Each structure stands twice: as C-alpha cells, then as structure tokens.
Amino acid sequence: LTVLIPHYGETIIMSKSELYDKGSGRETLRTRIRCPGFNLPVRETVPLIDWLRARYSDEYKAFTHRMAAREDWPSENSWNDFNDKQWEKICVWSSMRMQTLYRTVAGMMLYHPALEAHYIVQRLPQSSLAQEGIWNPTDCFNCIVSMQIYKQFDKTKLAHTNKMFDKFPDSLKVAYIDWEDLVMEKHESMEVIPRNAQEDRVHRRQKRRYFSGLIDKHCQMNAEGRRAPRYRVELPGYPILGDGKSDNQNHAIIFMRGIFCQCIDANQGAYFEQMLMLPCVLGEFRNYAVGRGKAKRIIGLPEHITSDFGSIGDFAAGSEIAFGTISQRSFAVLGGRMHYGHPDMMNKQYMMQQGGVSKATKTINLSEDIFAGMDFTLRGQGRKIRHCEYFHLAKGRDLGFNAVLGFFSKLSNGTGEQLLTRQMLRLSHCLQLPESLTFYYAHAGYYITQFLVSVSMPILVFTWLLVLCADCDREFRAFGDGTCNVTASEAMASMLATWYSVYILFFLIVTSLPLFAEIWMERNFGAALARWIKQQISCSFLLFIFQAKIIGYYIMAEIRQGGASYVATGRGLPTDRREFVGAPCYKFFRISLRLKGIDPVLLNGNETLQETVCNTIESVACNFLGCTKMLKVTVAQQDSGSRTTARFEICLWPPNDVATISMKDKITSGNFGPALAGGVESISGIGRVCRSALEGTANLDQKQTGWHCEKVGGLYLDYTQHTYYHGMALLMMTLLVLAAGGYSEAGQFKGELWWTFLSLALVVYSWLYAPFIFNPYQFSAGYLLDDIKAWSGFFLRSGGKHWADWFERVLLKPKRGLATSILDIELLFSFFAATAWVSVLYTKQVQYEVLYNKDPIVYLSTIAVMIPPFVLSLCYCILVAVVEYIGGCRKNFESRAQQSMRGIRSYIPYRRAKRTDEDSQSSDEEAGSPPTASPTVTDSRHVMEDAEVLDKPEHRICEHGMPLALSGVIIASLELIEIFGPLMVTFSKRLNWKTLVAGIMVKFLFWNIFLFLAGSALSMTTFCRKVEQSCGFLHKILKLLVYGNGIARDMFISAFIFITLLPYVLINAINDYCMPRFSLHQTLIYRTPGPLAKKQMYYDCASDGSGSDDEEESEGSSGGSSPTRRYPSGSSPMGILKRMTGRS
C-alpha cells in the first residue's frame, strides 16, 4: 500500500508567528487582565495558541506536565517566557490540532505501527520471517508526500520537512519536481536555443529540463537542508498543465510501491485503532476467484469531520458527514457512486491504465477526482466501486462563511464543466435508467436542483405580480364578459395557500433528515435531536438558503460563460471581522515605546543624549515604516520607581501616498520595538545610561482613521452580483405585490398567505443579511464609524475611482462581449418578461385611450410610458461631456472612472486566503521561468479578494470632472422622473395601482435590458478602443451612463443594507452594557459568548486583592502601563476561554 498526499503551499508545521504574534495587526487590544500565575491579553481576536490551549485544555495540561517532567518548563505566566526550543515543541503540539501537513503525515504513518502490531501477533515462530531483522513494515507500506515546489522551499519549510523525516520511519518519502537550466546559445537563425537541443531531444524554446525526484531520510543533505534525490526521472516538459493538484499527484505515481494506493488530502488525520483494520479494507479487493486477489475496484471510505466547532463549522461538518456516510452508502447501492479523492483506496495498476488517479486538463477537470471514478466505470470489464463503513479517517473542513461558500463555488464550477465532458455523455448513454438517475441526482442533479430552488421564489413573485396586474380593474369591468366572479388576487391566494402552509415546516425537517438519521444511527436519538435543534437555533436555514443561491449562481454562470478556476478558501479559524466595503486609511498613530535596560533618571539628566536618542528613534522608525519624517518623538512620563525602563511616545502622521494599513501591521508586529532598540543601542555613549542590554517593546496605543478608503474589499463586494442585487429586486417585487392588492384583495384567503410571506421574508433576509449575521464582530459599535468612512471613501472620494475599478474588474470583465450576451439566457428571459408586461400595460392603455381619447396629454403620455427611461439621463450625460470638454477635460474625453484607472490608482491585489493549489502556470514557466507561486489572473467572479489602493493626487489628469457619485445620483433621479412622470400623468384621471405597477415593471425591464447590452458592449476592449479613438465623445457618454447607473444602484443597495443593520448595532451595544461577558452575536457564531471587555485598563484577580499601582508590567507583555484593579470574582481569564469552548 502506498499513501499519496499532494502538497503545494499548505502549512507543514505551525510557527510561533502564526500561533502567537505579540500585538498582531489583525488583533485590537481592548483589555489586559493580570493575575498571579496567568497573564492574558483579552482581545477581540485572541491569539491562536490561547484559543487552542482553551479548547484542548486537558491535552495541554498533559503536554505541559510531560514537558515539565523532562526539562525546566516555564509556567503559564506569559508565552514570552518560552525559549525557541520550547516553542518548537509547542508548535508541533499545535500542529497536531490544526489542519497541517504534519498532522496528516503523522496520522498516515500510523499504518507503520499497525502493521508491526499485526506482524507481532500473527507471525509464526517457525517461519523465517519471524527472525529478527528480516521483515519491516516498510516492505509493504510507503507514504509519499508529493511536494510540488520542494525545490523552492525556504529554510523554514526545509527544516519542517527534515523534522518529519527525523520523526517518522523510513516509510516516509517526498516526491517533487526538479529542474536543470540548459545552456542557451544563439543559433544561425539568430534564435536563442538550448545548446545541443537536437542531441538532448528538448524543444528549441525549452530553457529547462524537468524531472520527477524522490527523496527520503537517508538522502544526502546540503548546507541549506535540501536533500539530493535518490531517484530522478526526466519529464518531457513542465508537468503542471492543469490546476495543480491532479498533475502533482500523477507525476508521483511512478514512485508508488505495491498495487494499492490511497489518495489523502493535506488536511486529514488518522487513528491507530482504525489503522488496525487495514487488512479488512484490503480484503475488499478480493473477488473470491482462484488467484484473483487484485480485483478492479475502488473502495470508498467515510471521514470523521473534526472541524465542527462554531455554527458555520458545524453546518459544514454536518453536510460533509451526511454526504460521506448515508449519501455514499445509498449511492453505492444504487450504482451512482464515483471517486471523490479521499480517502478512497484504489488498484494502482488500473488507475495508471486510464491516465492516473485524476484528470488534469485545465478548467474542464476542475473537480479532478471524480473523473477517475467516471473513467473507471466507463471501462467496465468487472470494475466496481464499493463503499465501506468501518474504516474512518479524520478530515478538517472549512470554518468561515466565505470559506464554506468559496468551497461550494468551486464544486459548482467543477460540476458545470462536468456537464460538458464526454464522460458525462457516455455515462448517460451506457448506464441503465436506475443507475443513470442515481448518478444524476448524486452529482449534477443536486446543483441544478439548488439553482431551481433559488429561482423558484423570484419566479413565483414575478408570476404573482403579472397575474395581479393582468386582472381587469374594477373601474373597467364593463369591458369584460362579466362571467368571472373570482378576482386574480383571490385565485392566486387560493393557490399559494395550498402550496405554502404548515407543511413548510416538514420541508425544513426533511432537508435535515439525512444528517439526523446518521447521527441517530451512530449515536442516539437524543444526540440527533439536540444537534438539529441547535442548528435551527443557530439560524442554519439562513446559511443553506444563501448557499443554494451561491450554488445556483455559479453553476449557471459556468454553463453560460465558462472560465472555471480554482477557488482558494483557507481553513483557518474565522476570528477576523470582514469589513463592509473596505478599510479606511489611518491618519494618526500614537505609539508607546519601552526600552528596558535604560535608566530613565540618568537619561533625563543628559539632555544632549536624550535628544540624540529621540532623533535616532525617529530615523529608525522612518526607515522601518518606509515613510517620510512626519512623526514626533517625545520622552513619556516614566514609571514611578522604575530605574530599568525608559518610556517614549511616538506620534506619527502618515502621508497620503503611503499604505497605512501595512504600516500599522509593521507597528504592531513584534519586530518594531527590537528594531528601535537596536538603533538606540548603536548610539555612541548610550552605555552611560544603560544598566543592561536593551530590549524594546512598541505598543500601538491610539489610532485614528481618515475618510479615504485604502483597502477595497468586504462582504458587500463579495456577494453583490450573487445575491444582493437579486435580494433587493425580490424585495421590491414583493412590495409591488402588496401595492397591487395581492394581500388586501385576497378575500377569505388573506389569513392563509402569511406562510407565503414568511417564505419570502426568509429568502429576502438571507440573500441580503446572511453574510453579515455570520460575520464576527459585525455589530460592534467600534467598527461602525470605520465602515461609514470606508463607504464614503469607496463611493465618494476621488471621483468614485475605487468603485469604478471594482465595477470594471468584477462586473464588466467576466462578460464575453455583445455577440455572446445577445444569446445569454438572462437577456432572453428579460425580453420574454418585457414582452409579457408590455402586453399587460398595452391592454390598460387601450382602455384609458377609449375613455380619454380627446385628451392630448393622456395620448402623449401613453406613448412616453413605452419609452425606456433614458432620455433625460442621456441628455445629462451629453451635457456633462460638453461641459467637461469646455472646462479642460480634453484628453480622450476620459471619464472620471477611466482617469482613475489610468493615472490615479496604484493597485496592489492580494489574496485573503493563501492558495493551496496553483491556479495556472504561464507559458514562461514552460519556456523555463521558475515555477514560483506568483499570483495568477483568474476570473474575478470566483475570487473574493481585497485590494490596497493609494491616492496620488499629483497624477490627476483633470480636476474639473463631475464626481461619478454625483452623476449617479442625478442620473438615477432623472430616470425615476421618467419612470413615474408619464405614469402619473397618464393615469392621473383615475389612479390605479395595478396599472401603475405594470408601468413600473415595463420601465424597469427596459432599464435592465439596456444596461445589460451597454455593459456587454463596454466589456469588448477592442471595440471600445476603436470607438474611443474614432469617436471618444460617444464612448464617454455611454460609459458615463452605464457607470452612473451602476454606482447609483450600489450606493442605494449598500446604504439600505447598512442602515437596516444599525438596529443590530444598538442591540449589541445594549447587550455589551448589560452583559459585558456574554455576547448574543458571538454565541450565534461560535456558540460561546467569548470575551468582550472593551475598556483599556489592568485588572488584578488576586484572591487577596493585593496589587500595587507601581507594579511594573511583566516582561514581554504588549499592553500599555495603567493602574492595576481587582478583577471581578468568578470571571478569570481561563474561565472566559473555557466558556468560549464549552469546556468545564
């Protein structure tokens, strides 16, 4: 048996900086609690090591007791008391409780002692294999970690890799991609080609020779810690041609030993008790024929999900448990189960016959694992896929809201590409009807069903509204035949009352039935019922409604537009707050610097040396932070009685063209203080005031934000086109249903419609608010002003350049041009809807024209009703273009948005989560460039990214242009006048809400179709460039019209969501005031209250209440100096963390 673990950039072993970064930039210090034997900074996000220690408190106590028995192990007073060697042991302990490669390898290597245990128990004393040193588990088991970029590892990763070699037996091996540079020379044709290219049989444009290498613990190691390969097989070229993981697996197949292989992901684990059942699993490959113990089979195995803490983690774990157990069991029996990568065992010989353990074609094989099962099934000849229940492996899943939905977006993209493959077509042809239906439901059918569920409610409301408006008005019943006594409102209410009733509760129960049944079978009925109730109380329905929408959006976007790409989600703890639209810049920092080792009394007595120290601190801080000298260094008031520590205060005013967020990260990092101390220590004569070696600690005491948006990216921008637009449209249509008499005229069925409106409310609420409900610290009042400043900077500052850049990258870039958009299903549906509504409105107009045929105003307004609402706004755009041209904005008639994209912006994209697989490799890599993990360009629909943007006013092209936000408000106002003006004039004689609603829908559909086509035209770069060169005036008008409507829509929807979230902020503030140690919102997210102390002060929880105001803070602490106070009885820091994790 060979276990194969693909690895790209996943964490091997946790580092100290990841576990405990003193004053990390992602954390905001609120309170420091001090008590004898324990010193914990209570933060809005506690350090990861504190979180792990609290969650696994019993295991950590056992770990510390073991270490204390072996060596001098510090107490738990401060994490800074541990030395580097002790931190290495803490990092390994933490890695075994996180989703790391070390934990995965440690789990898989348990096969080695399990086989050894079988050997000891089952060996025959008289057999030659029973002799000492004859048999070793390595003879029948190997674990290969396919480290794709091992050649590019830094010293830290090389040390972690070597640590695994030293820790685990000889069965552990590492496969990687190696290369050699070729000597290039100029050919007679003046082309630079490799020397002896024909003799070496390499391509003329290839600059490297690539190899698959294999190393183990016995390979020779150089000074850097890199090992020389034991085996090296040359490859025809750069092997990573797909999305990374599949090629990384397949190139290592040649180093597998034995005929069985098991594919494992780098976030799994294992248990020794399970490994003892390996012979039973291998026995599944027997087919009871003589000499046939190597059947053509894939043995599927379930997983034990370990990342089930927190509401989101529990929801994701529940879905994974149901899918990996009861669903797979059913699919295997019905013949629809395929291969899903991990932890299935396969017959390697038959996998190699079909091209490897997974397919590697880029884009179309995004879900690479399932194609191994599809090809395996298509080859027939007795091949079978089975599912076993008795062998489990551990598995970590996503924990955050964005991470879970990013994972499902990847699955949806991959499923959309599966529908276009030949494997899907051939399976549909060759499978019998029961197997074919099972295969459809188990794969593409689930995602298509999610799409149908997500669009069912909008279609229902659209149809409801259309039927209501198409009904004959009471004022014009004489025009009808008079045979119908039931109004449209009553007919629709009768139908909806039948569809939506108390049975909707049973629908909610049925959706959770697979998980409920599995927990019932594995544990007991009480545990299943308790978990179901807990999920409902935690608002799981909001996540699943939102998830259905995301799945439906991505699978249809993939079918319509293509472009599937890998989505990096990250599986870290969801402790960071995601901003609304971005983060504002910082305009002021106040930093306190403590230099331990300087006598403040002696320093104050030497004014010249004191001035030199302040100047040196200023110079070093400027160099370290990368800014100009816009700071002030003063000597702070010293601690009374302290003769070993001098305190300084640094006030910093960053310039406008500096990235202040990264500057804040540098300030709060653990390197800023030591850097300043090093600069001071180099001053000549500083030894006269020093009592010991200098140690510097810098703390950020105060920061003020400005009204410029420096980081673009937040929850609103993550899901704008996915749910917010559709959620707002559904809300507006629901209000129009009420205006058209859908409820008031329902008659006897009025009381039965509340189930329908309950369903509508759940859908609208989920689509608009679910990301914010599950966002940590979303409703903390301290973040409210920052969100307002970021919103203002994003939409209003610099002419709306930040919004314009985001709009072009995210909404315009994915389009494929006007020709493709014309055939888009969304546009076809809009035309169909517009046709239906135009016919309804035309019927109403004919009736009015008969009654008011002599009124010319009514006649003209009926014509204006059918005109798209762009006449006045188009005139405004023309006027703005003329005025800006006259005012001096002549350079290509560029709009403000285009100016910002060309001259003003300095755009620095960076991923929010580290990639774990390579999205793509450029042609330069094949030509010979190093296959580094550089950022790749992917479809922005599938990426939740942030961006740092820097304002550089000196690069402005024109200062006289109209701000885009103001133009958007004016354009939207003019369009509203065009929508309601003709309608009010036409039907002013006798106002009828149904006719008014029909006119609004016609105008809105015309508006939507025009903007869709105009946006598609703007996405054609070649066409726009030619139009801009030949007639830039028209290009500016069209762009201003599209961008103005877009920014007005986003400003309205984002402001609506933000304002409607303010009551939750008030409720959270009241909750903090009344119950400062219990947060309802944190309980919803983490199912634990969490620490919520807000005041910046010291507490002393000593039992005797002793504590001196002059008591100096312990070494290594990261808080400011303040008087100590008694901590409330019964609320110790460890108790707080224990309540976070639910441990007694």
Side-chain angles (χ1 to χ4, degrees), residues 27-49:
E27 302 169 353
T28 304
L29 279 170
R30 295 297 184 186
T31 303
R32 171 166 291 277
I33 301 174
R34 294 174 57 179
C35 59
F38 196 88
N39 188 11
L40 172 67
V42 176
R43 308 162 184 248
E44 291 191 345
T45 55
V46 297
L48 181 58
I49 184 61

Side-chain angles (χ1 to χ4, degrees), residues 443-695:
H443 302 91
Y446 169 78
Y447 297 92
I448 295 177
T449 301
Q450 294 293 301
F451 165 73
L452 296 177
V453 170
S454 65
V455 300
S456 60
M457 196 58 71
I459 292 177
L460 171 65
V461 177
F462 177 84
T463 307
W464 190 2
L465 188 59
L466 182 64
V467 172
L468 291 177
C469 294
D471 190 22
C472 183
D473 299 332
R474 293 179 179 179
E475 295 80 2
F476 304 111
R477 292 207 180 268
F479 290 91
D481 55 6
T483 58
C484 183
N485 296 322
V486 179
T487 64
S489 299
E490 294 176 344
M492 289 298 298
S494 174
M495 181 184 66
L496 293 175
T498 305
W499 290 357
Y500 293 90
S501 61
V502 69
Y503 295 107
I504 191 174
L505 299 178
F506 293 99
F507 176 78
L508 294 176
I509 295 175
V510 168
T511 56
S512 305
L513 191 59
L515 176 63
F516 185 89
E518 184 62 29
I519 299 299
W520 188 359
M521 287 187 293
E522 291 183 357
R523 301 179 64 183
N524 53 65
F525 179 81
L529 182 62
R531 184 162 187 173
W532 183 85
I533 294 176
K534 191 182 298 183
Q535 287 193 349
Q536 302 308 312
I537 295 176
S538 303
C539 301
S540 62
F541 48 86
L542 293 181
L543 173 68
F544 293 130
I545 293 173
F546 197 91
Q547 177 181 296
K549 178 62 178 172
I550 294 297
I551 291 175
Y553 171 84
Y554 275 108
I555 190 171
M556 294 310 298
E558 189 58 40
I559 294 174
R560 290 160 49 198
Q561 301 174 358
S565 59
Y566 184 85
V567 178
T569 59
R571 297 190 176 95
L573 294 173
T575 57
D576 293 337
R577 181 185 187 270
R578 183 76 166 145
E579 296 85 3
F580 189 76
V581 293
C585 63
Y586 293 96
K587 64 179 183 180
F588 173 74
F589 296 111
R590 189 173 69 215
I591 309 161
S592 63
L593 172 65
R594 306 180 65 190
L595 294 179
K596 185 178 180 180
I598 293 182
D599 189 333
V601 176
L602 297 178
L603 181 64
N604 292 334
N606 192 337
E607 296 183 0
T608 303
L609 184 60
Q610 182 178 349
E611 183 179 358
T612 304
V613 170
C614 292
N615 293 335
T616 302
I617 292 175
E618 179 180 347
S619 176
V620 174
C622 289
N623 294 331
F624 187 88
L625 300 177
C627 66
T628 57
K629 293 187 177 182
M630 298 186 64
L631 51 85
K632 178 182 178 182
V633 181
T634 58
V635 179
Q637 181 179 0
Q638 304 301 323
D639 297 336
S640 58
S642 174
R643 296 295 300 270
T644 60
T645 302
R647 299 182 65 241
F648 298 84
E649 186 177 85
I650 305 174
C651 296
L652 173 62
W653 295 268
N656 293 330
D657 58 345
V658 174
T660 58
I661 295 179
S662 59
M663 181 182 295
K664 170 181 165 289
D665 294 340
K666 292 179 181 179
I667 294 173
T668 55
S669 68
N671 300 324
F672 186 49
L676 297 179
V680 173
E681 199 169 14
S682 63
I683 299 176
S684 177
I686 193 66
R688 295 194 300 267
V689 298
C690 289
R691 293 182 176 271
S692 61
L694 295 186
E695 297 181 10

